[in-house]
């Protein structure tokens, strides 16, 4: 079955240090991949989306992700963490063959803690 | 503007009450979604409306009744809920066939007593 695996349930970094949130996916086709962020008691905000135009995708707030087909990975990075980055992050893939109103498959989420 | 609005922000209801959640978007999106999210878990899809027609129902109990009166508005009618239905209810919209990106609202925090 198609899946998304976020390899770390919890990541802790110090403010000003790099962030790496890891995601592996399974897909039979060229996938639609997303990263969303959710701050406490808020909705999900789109950080970035992979559209096959480029393997390195730049998102909002300094985040970027690299699509590696050979490794079926879509890891999220940021050069320097800010306290406001503390949140839950979801890696998401659109279910194969489900079309533009299709189902999203969510990873279990990674909680990012940023220490002062 | 990629804003989806939801009202109310918080809702407390008894098991015999009838209430409704409302979602609105003015981006011209023709697909709208309801998700349920429990604490520390990813969202779970409940319903999808495409061009105002129900296209996906994820075997949701009949005590949840969706409605899409027009292309901008999505309601979720609640009746005879159980305490385990307490959760964050998220609405999202997307713009088929142009894009599959879903934009989420801030959610309604529902507590069933």
């Amino acid at each position: 079955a198609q899946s998304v695996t976020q390899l770390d349930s919890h990541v802790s970094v110090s403010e000003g240090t790099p962030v790496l949130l890891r995601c592996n996916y399974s897909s039979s086709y060229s996938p639609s991949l997303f990263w969303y962020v959710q701050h406490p008691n808020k909705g999900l905000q789109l950080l970035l989306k992979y559209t096959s135009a480029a393997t390195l995708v730049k998102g909002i707030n300094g985040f970027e992700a690299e699509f590696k087909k050979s490794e079926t990975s879509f890891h999220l990075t940021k050069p320097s963490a800010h306290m406001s980055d503390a949140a839950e992050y979801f890696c998401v893939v659109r279910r194969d063959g489900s079309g533009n109103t299709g189902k999203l498959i969510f990873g279990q989420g990674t909680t990012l803690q940023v220490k002062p | 503007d990629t804003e989806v609005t939801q009202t109310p922000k918080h809702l407390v209801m008894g098991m015999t009450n009838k209430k409704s959640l409302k979602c609105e978007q003015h981006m011209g999106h023709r697909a709208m979604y309801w998700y349920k999210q429990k604490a520390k878990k990813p969202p779970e899809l409940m319903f999808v409306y495409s061009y105002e027609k129900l296209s996906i129902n994820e075997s949701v109990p009949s005590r949840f009744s969706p409605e899409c009166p027009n292309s901008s508005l999505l309601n979720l009618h609640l009746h005879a809920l159980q305490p385990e239905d307490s959760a964050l209810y998220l609405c999202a919209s997307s713009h088929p066939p142009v894009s599959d990106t879903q934009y989420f609202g801030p959610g309604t925090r529902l507590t069933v007593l």
Side-chain angles (χ1 to χ4, degrees):
Chain A
Q2 198 174 0
S3 65
V4 176
T5 302
Q6 293 184 241
L7 297 167
D8 307 288
S9 59
H10 189 272
V11 170
S12 181
V13 300
S14 296
E15 190 175 21
T17 64
V19 175
L20 170 64
L21 305 183
R22 299 181 296 163
C23 174
N24 286 354
Y25 70 92
S26 68
S27 176
S28 301
Y29 305 104
S30 180
S32 282
L33 288 160
F34 310 83
W35 276 100
Y36 284 90
V37 61
Q38 185 175 31
H39 288 90
N41 298 310
K42 301 288 186 184
L44 277 69
Q45 182 183 19
L46 179 69
L47 279 177
L48 50 82
K49 174 188 176 182
Y50 169 70
T51 60
S52 77
T55 57
L56 185 62
V57 183
K58 294 192 183 298
I60 61 171
N61 301 334
F63 284 94
E64 62 182 36
E66 186 172 8
F67 174 72
K68 291 187 176 180
K69 187 174 182 179
S70 60
E71 299 176 11
T72 60
S73 68
F74 191 55
H75 301 335
L76 182 70
T77 60
K78 182 174 180 177
S80 176
H82 192 273
M83 294 298 292
S84 60
D85 294 328
E88 190 77 11
Y89 290 78
F90 291 101
C91 181
V92 181
V93 65
R94 192 188 73 207
R95 187 181 294 277
D96 291 339
S98 61
N100 277 346
T101 55
K103 299 179 184 180
L104 300 180
I105 300 171
F106 287 80
Q108 288 301 303
T110 298
T111 303
L112 176 63
Q113 179 186 24
V114 182
K115 296 178 287 187
Chain B
D1 184 13
T2 55
E3 187 178 29
V4 176
T5 60
Q6 291 186 243
T7 54
K9 289 185 179 179
H10 301 275
L11 179 63
V12 179
M13 60 186 292
M15 289 189 285
T16 59
N17 292 157
K18 286 185 181 180
K19 297 286 185 183
S20 296
L21 310 184
K22 179 181 173 181
C23 172
E24 204 160 3
Q25 55 87 15
H26 295 288
M27 297 178 280
H29 291 180
R30 300 307 296 273
M32 297 185 78
Y33 310 76
W34 279 116
Y35 289 85
K36 174 183 177 180
Q37 186 180 27
K38 302 285 275 185
K40 305 294 184 185
K41 296 290 187 182
E44 298 173 3
L45 182 66
M46 299 174 72
F47 303 103
V48 181
Y49 273 84
S50 177
Y51 294 85
E52 295 92 68
K53 292 194 171 130
L54 183 65
S55 63
I56 296 176
N57 177 341
E58 289 289 274
S59 302
V60 179
S62 60
R63 58 185 184 269
F64 295 91
S65 175
E67 178 195 21
C68 189
N70 58 58
S71 60
S72 301
L73 189 56
L74 185 67
N75 298 318
L76 186 63
H77 303 298
L78 314 172
H79 174 54
L81 294 192
Q82 304 297 310
E84 59 264 30
D85 296 322
S86 298
L88 181 68
Y89 287 84
L90 294 163
C91 174
S93 70
S94 69
H95 191 35
V98 173
S99 171
D100 59 0
T101 302
Q102 293 184 25
Y103 295 93
F104 286 81
T108 293
R109 175 71 61 189
L110 174 67
T111 302
V112 182
L113 301 176

